[in-house]
Amino acid sequence: MKYTYLLINFITIIIPFLFSFHSKLNFYKTWKAFFGANLIATFLFVIWDIIFTNKGIWGFNPNYITGVYVLNLPIEEILFFICIPFSCVFTYHSINLFLKIQWGKKFEDLFCVFLILLLLTSGIIEHQKLYTSITFISTAILLFLLKFVFKIQWFGKFIHIYPVLLIPFFIVNGVLTGTGLHEPIVWYNNAENMGIRLFTIPIEDVIYGFELILLNIFLYDFFITIINNNDSHNHINDF
């Protein structure tokens, strides 16, 4: 039982890791971009995690973790921020190779504004519930920055792909929150969330996962662009 959370991380990443070397996917060639992006995202989310853990907004069942802690977090929790994004970015990369999804700019902008306003409104209404308010408001801010400051062109594509990413997300998060177990691995203080569960998963986790993966993909795309530009520049200099 002590290795349950660790095993979940391993199962999450092993298949994407192996298929990273598939000749039609070649995800391993983008690992430099992924790990650069993930390092930044993990740093930010670990800080968030430390604060919420110390405040008792969520916590971890000692029966399902090895007992190795880093920065007051179980090592398994830190690995979660690497394994889940790795699997999701791998899936995004793979789908993107074979499906060319593009929304019209006006519809994409309107949908993004609608989502921002919905998240902001919900976060403000639920301002006394820290998990709900911080997750919803921070996701709204991230969306605004990515779409209207950094002007990403793949937001519609991400919205299409995210439901696919939710399938493994629900499986992993379901187990972490107690599906199939006597007790949850990760417990939540319901005074700090809306108390709405999708099976055993707090509804806030869907937005939290959305923000986590969105940030990883944005940074991944950013590093891919930098690496490709550097490679092109070096190739030109070779001549």
Side-chain angles (χ1 to χ4, degrees):
M1 290 178 64
K2 291 279 187 183
Y3 293 95
T4 303
Y5 196 173
L6 196 63
L7 182 61
I8 290 169
N9 282 324
F10 176 76
I11 292 172
T12 299
I13 201 172
I14 185 61
I15 293 177
F17 173 80
L18 294 175
F19 273 88
S20 293
F21 301 96
H22 193 287
S23 59
K24 291 185 178 180
L25 301 177
N26 290 322
F27 182 59
Y28 76 95
K29 292 183 178 180
T30 71
W31 280 5
K32 185 177 180 180
F34 169 77
F35 286 110
N38 182 250
L39 181 65
I40 297 170
T42 296
F43 174 76
L44 296 173
F45 273 83
V46 163
I47 292 174
W48 182 351
D49 211 328
I50 291 170
I51 294 170
F52 271 31
T53 301
N54 289 341
K55 286 183 173 294
I57 294 171
W58 57 49
F60 309 95
N61 190 330
N63 293 327
Y64 295 103
I65 57 179
T66 58
V68 178
Y69 283 78
V70 177
L71 301 173
N72 202 35
L73 292 179
I75 186 66
E76 296 90 342
E77 179 74 353
I78 295 175
L79 290 174
F80 173 91
F81 294 115
I82 301 171
C83 296
I84 295 297
F86 183 93
S87 300
C88 289
V89 175
F90 165 81
T91 304
Y92 179 86
H93 165 86
S94 302
I95 293 175
N96 198 32
L97 287 176
F98 301 103
L99 292 179
K100 301 303 178 185
I101 302 168
Q102 188 69 45
W103 285 14
K105 186 179 185 306
K106 287 185 178 179
F107 179 74
E108 184 171 301
D109 289 349
L110 285 173
F111 184 87
C112 191
V113 169
F114 167 77
L115 191 54
I116 289 169
L117 292 176
L118 179 63
L119 290 168
L120 274 177
T121 302
S122 301
I124 292 169
I125 291 172
E126 301 290 348
H127 67 277
Q128 292 182 324
K129 298 171 181 177
L130 286 179
Y131 185 25
T132 307
S133 61
I134 290 176
T135 301
F136 284 23
I137 292 172
S138 63
T139 302
I141 293 170
L142 178 64
L143 275 174
F144 176 80
L145 290 174
L146 298 194
K147 192 71 181 74
F148 300 108
V149 177
F150 294 102
K151 300 185 183 303
I152 62 172
Q153 301 298 313
W154 44 264
F155 175 69
K157 183 190 306 180
F158 178 76
I159 294 297
H160 258 94
I161 294 175
Y162 188 59
V164 178
L165 303 181
L166 280 176
I167 297 171
F169 173 82
F170 271 112
I171 295 171
V172 170
N173 246 37
V175 177
L176 290 178
T177 53
T179 300
L181 300 174
H182 294 297
E183 303 171 290
I185 298 172
V186 181
W187 55 261
Y188 293 82
N189 177 357
N190 285 332
E192 301 293 353
N193 61 60
M194 291 188 291
I196 301 172
R197 298 265 176 160
L198 302 172
F199 301 102
T200 56
I201 304 169
I203 190 70
E204 288 84 357
D205 276 11
V206 176
I207 306 302
Y208 181 88
F210 182 92
E211 184 174 12
L212 173 65
I213 304 310
L214 182 64
L215 179 60
N216 270 275
I217 289 177
F218 166 69
L219 293 170
Y220 169 78
D221 188 67
F222 175 75
F223 278 105
I224 286 284
T225 302
I226 290 176
I227 291 169
N228 288 342
N229 287 342
N230 286 340
D231 288 346
S232 298
H233 180 71
N234 291 336
H235 182 70
I236 292 171
N237 287 342
D238 289 340
F239 290 91

